[in-house]
Amino acid sequence: MRVVIAEDSVLLREGLTRLLTDRGHEVVAGVGDGEALIKTITELDGQGTLPDVVVADVRMPPTHTDEGVRAAVQLRKAHPGLGVLVLSQYVEERYATELLAGSSRGVGYLLKDRVAEVREFVDAVVRVAQGGTALDPEVVAQLLGRSRKQDVLAGLTPREREVLGLMAEGRTNSAIARQLVVSDGAVEKHVSNIFLKLGLSQSDGDHRRVLAVLTYLNS
């Protein structure tokens, strides 16, 4: 896996680089602001060496507001096959929703505290690089708990809502079954019911798991 890291804290940037390289991945570049990130990805693309995934801080210079996430959104539009995982100190709903509003493939939003859980963090980076999703449990809880979203999930049972939350964290059916201490078959039934109630047909294919979450977030 080839990674570009965008983080203005040199200490954290070097730490992320060490975590990934120690596990056999290649960090091809590290930058400190959104403009440098876009320039770097453009140059790599021009060389035919586009990375698999970008790991970027939401807030970077010069204003330390939304430079990172704006760069991430721009890159996702310009390079649909590029995975983008953003890191944030706090749950910022507007930024998470903006990032998730586009293509359903290769996107992640994690709180920085999650980096300390090394295996889970690296797994999330790999999942996003491979076209999957990685949403922090705290992000999921806050986004799915917004009062204006309740109508969308009105038809779901409490257990189906719980399964949907775990789906949004990027967990497989087997992982959900272990978490809830139920059978794989029970989870498959819940997932099928969620797809049905959210109006996601069989023709939506393998991306229905992501669409189930995005349908809710974008409603």
Side-chain angles (χ1 to χ4, degrees):
M1 184 177 66
R2 302 176 70 254
V3 187
V4 169
I5 297 174
E7 166 60 57
D8 62 297
S9 167
V10 176
L11 183 61
L12 180 54
R13 188 166 70 233
E14 291 301 319
L16 293 174
T17 299
R18 180 66 179 271
L19 287 180
L20 293 168
T21 55
D22 281 354
R23 284 154 184 79
H25 305 296
E26 180 185 3
V27 176
V28 296
V31 299
D33 60 72
E35 184 177 343
L37 173 59
I38 292 174
K39 180 180 179 182
T40 297
I41 295 300
T42 300
E43 291 175 349
L44 290 172
D45 186 42
Q47 298 166 6
T49 57
L50 191 70
D52 300 298
V53 61
V54 166
V55 178
D57 191 359
V58 165
R59 301 186 175 199
M60 289 193 290
T63 68
H64 293 279
T65 54
D66 62 353
E67 284 84 357
V69 75
R70 284 194 287 108
V73 171
Q74 182 175 334
L75 288 173
R76 280 174 57 75
K77 291 178 180 178
H79 309 283
L82 176 66
V84 175
L85 173 63
V86 299
L87 302 177
S88 179
Q89 192 69 41
Y90 310 102
V91 178
E92 301 181 80
E93 294 181 21
R94 179 168 65 86
Y95 298 152
T97 303
E98 183 178 3
L99 185 68
L100 293 165
S103 169
S104 61
R105 290 183 56 80
V107 63
Y109 188 112
L110 297 181
L111 295 183
K112 286 187 175 180
D113 289 347
R114 203 65 58 187
V115 176
E117 301 173 17
V118 176
R119 186 174 66 178
E120 290 187 20
F121 169 70
V122 175
D123 286 347
V125 178
V126 172
R127 189 160 62 249
V128 170
Q130 295 174 341
T133 57
L135 299 182
D136 193 285
E138 292 297 323
V139 175
V140 173
Q142 188 158 323
L143 289 174
L144 297 188
R146 298 169 69 177
S147 60
R148 70 183 181 88
K149 304 297 186 180
Q150 295 308 308
D151 289 345
V152 180
L153 292 188
L156 300 186
T157 66
R159 176 62 91 181
E160 288 165 354
R161 294 188 188 203
E162 192 173 8
V163 170
L164 177 57
L166 293 171
M167 286 168 57
E169 293 174 22
R171 305 198 189 197
T172 64
N173 284 3
S174 294
I176 293 172
R178 289 193 298 272
Q179 175 72 20
L180 300 180
V181 194
V182 297
S183 68
D184 287 2
V187 173
E188 290 175 5
K189 182 177 180 180
H190 289 313
V191 171
S192 295
N193 287 339
I194 291 169
F195 292 157
L196 179 64
K197 293 177 180 179
L198 294 184
L200 298 173
S201 66
Q202 188 69 40
S203 61
D204 290 317
D206 293 337
H207 304 316
R208 288 190 298 172
R209 295 182 74 84
V210 175
L211 291 174
V213 177
L214 296 181
T215 296
Y216 187 86
L217 294 177
N218 296 326
S219 64

